[in-house]
Amino acid sequence: MSNLRKREFAVGIVFLLVGLAYLWMTSQLPRKQFIDAAFVPYVLAITMCLLGAFQLWEAARMPAGDTGKQEDTADYRTVVKTLALIVAYAALLQPLGFPLMTVIYLFAQFIVLTPRDKAISYPMYATIAVLSSAAVYATFRYAFDMLLPVGVLSAFIN
């Protein structure tokens, strides 16, 4: 089995195990109705399990005789930057609030994910980040009647 195939299997197993663990933890949350505080964690857990299963499926379909001649195209710096942004988002969500922190996170993530050979469009990224954050906040606040932390914007948002 090639090194690439082994890595693909390992990634699939990790995703599946983390998804199953997250699904088990989510099942411990009290449920009140179909769409409640546990809804999004269930969606995320099921998605992780599916991604792990698909990863294992694709790894199994890889040619067994492959000697690892395929080039590793993973951009580990982008992965590390993304993980750092996620940690910062989680750490600052409560004090800064969902709307502001989501705008900052999305804007920074767009920059991180922009290919090096493409120009960064700051105005477009800022517009998308602000509109996305506002749409998600409004959806949860007014459609689902769920409060998200507003942090420093508490004086401006009811």
Side-chain angles (χ1 to χ4, degrees):
M1 187 183 303
S2 72
N3 285 338
L4 181 61
R5 189 171 183 200
K6 287 178 187 176
R7 283 195 311 233
E8 296 297 318
F9 267 115
V11 168
I13 289 169
V14 168
F15 259 83
L16 189 57
L17 290 176
V18 169
L20 289 171
Y22 192 53
L23 186 60
W24 179 79
M25 289 187 293
T26 301
S27 71
Q28 306 303 310
L29 295 172
R31 296 298 310 253
K32 295 181 178 141
Q33 52 190 349
F34 181 70
I35 296 180
D36 58 4
F39 178 75
V40 172
Y42 268 112
V43 170
L44 293 174
I46 291 168
T47 302
M48 282 196 74
C49 290
L50 288 173
L51 286 173
F54 288 145
Q55 181 72 22
L56 289 172
W57 174 262
E58 287 299 317
R61 292 182 52 210
M62 290 178 79
D66 188 10
T67 59
K69 294 177 186 171
Q70 290 180 328
E71 185 178 318
D72 185 9
T73 59
D75 183 3
Y76 296 108
R77 291 190 330 188
T78 299
V79 172
V80 169
K81 289 176 187 175
T82 297
L83 289 175
L85 285 172
I86 291 170
V87 169
Y89 181 82
L92 298 172
L93 182 63
Q94 196 64 36
L96 292 181
F98 178 86
L100 183 59
M101 197 58 224
T102 301
V103 168
I104 294 168
Y105 169 78
L106 287 175
F107 184 75
Q109 190 65 59
F110 293 154
I111 292 170
V112 167
L113 293 176
T114 301
R116 290 187 182 133
D117 61 334
K118 302 286 184 194
I120 296 174
S121 177
Y122 295 107
M124 182 177 69
Y125 292 170
T127 302
I128 294 170
V130 168
L131 292 176
S132 298
S133 178
V136 170
Y137 181 81
T139 300
F140 275 86
R141 176 65 182 101
Y142 301 109
F144 299 145
D145 198 29
M146 294 175 64
L147 297 176
L148 295 171
V150 291
V152 297
L153 298 177
S154 62
F156 303 106
I157 297 176
N158 55 4

